[in-house]
Amino acid sequence: MKRVLSLSLIASSMLMAGGYKIPETSLNGVALSAANIAHNKSADAAYYNPANMVFMEDKNNIELDLTYIGLDPVSYNGKVTATNVDLDSERESFIVPTIHYVSGKAGEARIGLSIVSPGGLSKRWTESPASKSAEEFTLKVIEINPTFAIPVGEKVALAFGFRIVHSEGVVKATPSPGAVYQDMTGDSIDYGYNLALAYKPTSDIDVALTYRSQVNLTVEGSADLYYAPGGLVPKGNYEASVNIPLPATASAALAYTLPSKTTVEFVYERNMWSAYKNLDFDYTNASAEAVFGTSKSKDWKDTNAFRLGLTQELDNMTLMAGMVYDESPVPSKTLGFELPDSNSLSVSLGGRYEINDKIEVGLSALYSMRETRKIETNDANDNNLVGEFTNANVLMISTGVSYKF
């Protein structure tokens, strides 16, 4: 029972660079499957590779995007303990706004600002036994990322930025209606940094390196708890906190532009998820800590993502397409209903149209197809699962407008 009840808000926050991460935080990001790090002439360079701001046209550039995210219902067929079940989660959908800004030159330097939602989750199961541990897991994340870039010679630029991350979430679970439940909320503001390098050895080759630091989420909140057996935890609101790492991410990218103004970009991305070893929720109340505060092993692994982007520039239009293969960080042993994660293959396309020399509009879409995730008996799953999760696909549609002045 303690193992089930130790599920927390932050279990879902870790999806930001794993299961339901959102690296596609702009119109171009969606169209190119986030393969827009080395070759980028738009305002979202402020987020993806701020060093590229140095090589942009000497104008202020601002872009506003709206992205629809739809999560298919996840199906689970198999056993929970010794009981055969066939369950489906609820369908989820969101509208996420983002904004990117790149300044004109300040001397030779450039300043950027991005306000994005780099990840999040809403996973709800209304059917038992999934609802016993994951009735609702919801996370909202907003990152404010100011950046500063300078040239180093004519072919190299460097950039530095601050990550200001606000997270807010909810977790509800009812292992035993009327006898045991938890309804938890929490939030935090935490900080990190990002570094970027852009190198243009020739007019048709772009090279980039980026690094986003680990951010320790120091979430504090409260929980309505009740544990009736033995009267161990009376009904009440209890203070709670947890300290969880949001792992670092490093990327290396290479882009080549053909004489036909066709650009091909490849991105290798490494997510350092092995920093997430366990989940240990702390309660100031001794009884709540004894029942609900048991440390839960996670043992996530570092993961790779391989991104490919294709851009074709025309007279008044830019066409884009992309593909990405992304690995899951969650081992079969600790997989649960709050994160039925698996490896994924995504495809994307989109376009931008130049109305005049100041205004551009665009539309893009991405579809992520997730592999079936099987849990075998010999995986010794901590949540007593033996079966498979299917249909965890994701659709993203983004529209945006940019303005230069």
Side-chain angles (χ1 to χ4, degrees):
M1 180 64 72
K2 287 184 180 180
R3 178 176 295 164
V4 172
L5 294 176
S6 67
L7 293 172
S8 81
L9 165 66
I10 303 306
S12 54
S13 75
M14 305 312 294
L15 305 181
M16 291 173 13
Y20 296 105
K21 69 178 180 178
I22 313 176
E24 300 85 4
T25 62
S26 69
L27 172 77
N28 287 358
V30 172
L32 293 164
S33 295
N36 58 333
I37 293 176
H39 184 82
N40 195 323
K41 301 178 181 179
S42 301
D44 63 342
Y47 183 78
Y48 286 100
N49 184 355
N52 269 332
M53 297 189 300
V54 168
F55 302 108
M56 292 174 60
E57 185 180 8
D58 186 12
K59 291 184 177 181
N60 292 280
N61 194 329
I62 188 168
E63 179 172 325
L64 176 64
D65 301 313
L66 288 176
T67 301
Y68 164 85
I69 303 175
L71 308 179
D72 286 349
V74 179
S75 299
Y76 175 74
N77 184 270
K79 293 183 178 181
V80 179
T81 311
T83 304
N84 290 312
V85 297
D86 188 358
L87 307 172
D88 293 292
S89 71
E90 298 297 297
R91 185 183 298 274
E92 309 285 352
S93 61
F94 316 90
I95 299 293
V96 180
T98 58
I99 188 169
H100 302 278
Y101 168 74
V102 175
S103 74
K105 288 186 178 181
E108 293 299 320
R110 304 294 284 268
I111 297 171
L113 176 67
S114 292
I115 302 175
V116 301
S117 180
L121 170 74
S122 183
K123 186 58 56 187
R124 294 177 295 133
W125 298 82
T126 58
E127 300 175 272
S128 181
S131 60
K132 291 183 177 182
S133 60
E135 182 178 345
E136 179 183 351
F137 275 76
T138 300
L139 174 79
K140 299 178 182 178
V141 178
I142 297 175
E143 178 176 347
I144 301 174
N145 186 200
T147 50
F148 177 79
I150 56 171
V152 182
E154 295 182 355
K155 298 182 178 181
V156 178
L158 300 175
F160 174 83
F162 292 99
R163 305 184 66 190
I164 306 168
V165 179
H166 176 262
S167 57
E168 178 182 341
V170 175
V171 61
K172 296 180 181 180
T174 309
S176 180
V180 182
Y181 67 78
Q182 59 176 349
D183 186 349
M184 306 169 63
T185 61
D187 62 6
S188 70
I189 297 178
D190 302 290
Y191 306 93
Y193 65 91
N194 63 294
L195 305 172
L197 176 147
Y199 173 47
K200 298 183 181 296
T202 68
S203 61
D204 52 10
I205 296 177
D206 300 285
V207 181
L209 296 173
T210 64
Y211 177 79
R212 305 191 78 81
S213 75
Q214 177 174 308
V215 176
N216 291 315
L217 303 178
T218 57
V219 175
E220 295 183 355
S222 62
D224 290 326
L225 304 176
Y226 183 41
Y227 191 89
L232 293 179
V233 181
K235 290 182 180 179
N237 187 267
Y238 298 84
E239 293 183 0
S241 65
V242 68
N243 194 330
I244 293 291
L246 177 63
T249 300
S251 298
L254 174 65
Y256 179 69
T257 301
L258 300 167
S260 60
K261 294 186 177 180
T262 304
T263 300
V264 180
E265 178 166 342
F266 174 76
V267 178
Y268 167 71
E269 177 183 296
R270 183 71 169 174
N271 297 297
M272 278 65 96
W273 279 115
S274 58
Y276 189 30
K277 299 185 183 302
N278 58 70
L279 180 66
D280 189 5
F281 219 92
D282 294 319
Y283 294 88
T284 56
N285 180 275
S287 297
E289 174 67 19
V291 175
F292 293 92
T294 304
S295 178
K296 185 178 178 68
S297 176
K298 287 297 182 181
D299 293 326
W300 283 22
K301 62 181 181 179
D302 293 344
T303 62
N304 302 307
F306 305 93
R307 304 180 184 278
L308 181 66
L310 182 67
T311 302
Q312 177 64 61
E313 292 188 18
L314 303 173
D315 290 339
N316 296 314
M317 181 175 289
T318 301
L319 303 178
M320 296 167 283
M323 178 181 297
V324 55
Y325 181 76
D326 200 357
E327 298 175 338
S328 168
V330 188
S332 296
K333 181 173 175 57
T334 62
L335 193 73
F337 287 110
E338 79 280 7
L339 174 48
D341 193 34
S342 63
N343 298 338
S344 67
L345 176 67
S346 304
V347 293
S348 60
L349 54 83
R352 303 173 67 99
Y353 178 72
E354 185 178 308
I355 296 176
N356 54 46
D357 61 354
K358 292 184 177 181
I359 300 174
E360 268 191 326
V361 295
L363 180 68
S364 59
L366 177 146
Y367 188 65
S368 180
M369 300 160 284
R370 297 190 173 270
E371 298 176 359
T372 295
R373 185 66 187 268
K374 295 183 179 180
I375 306 174
E376 309 289 349
T377 302
N378 58 11
D379 290 323
N381 181 265
D382 290 348
N383 300 297
N384 299 311
L385 304 182
V386 177
E388 63 181 32
F389 289 97
T390 57
N391 303 326
N393 300 324
V394 181
L395 173 66
M396 302 180 70
I397 300 174
S398 182
T399 184
V401 58
S402 64
Y403 180 67
K404 296 178 182 179
F405 59 98

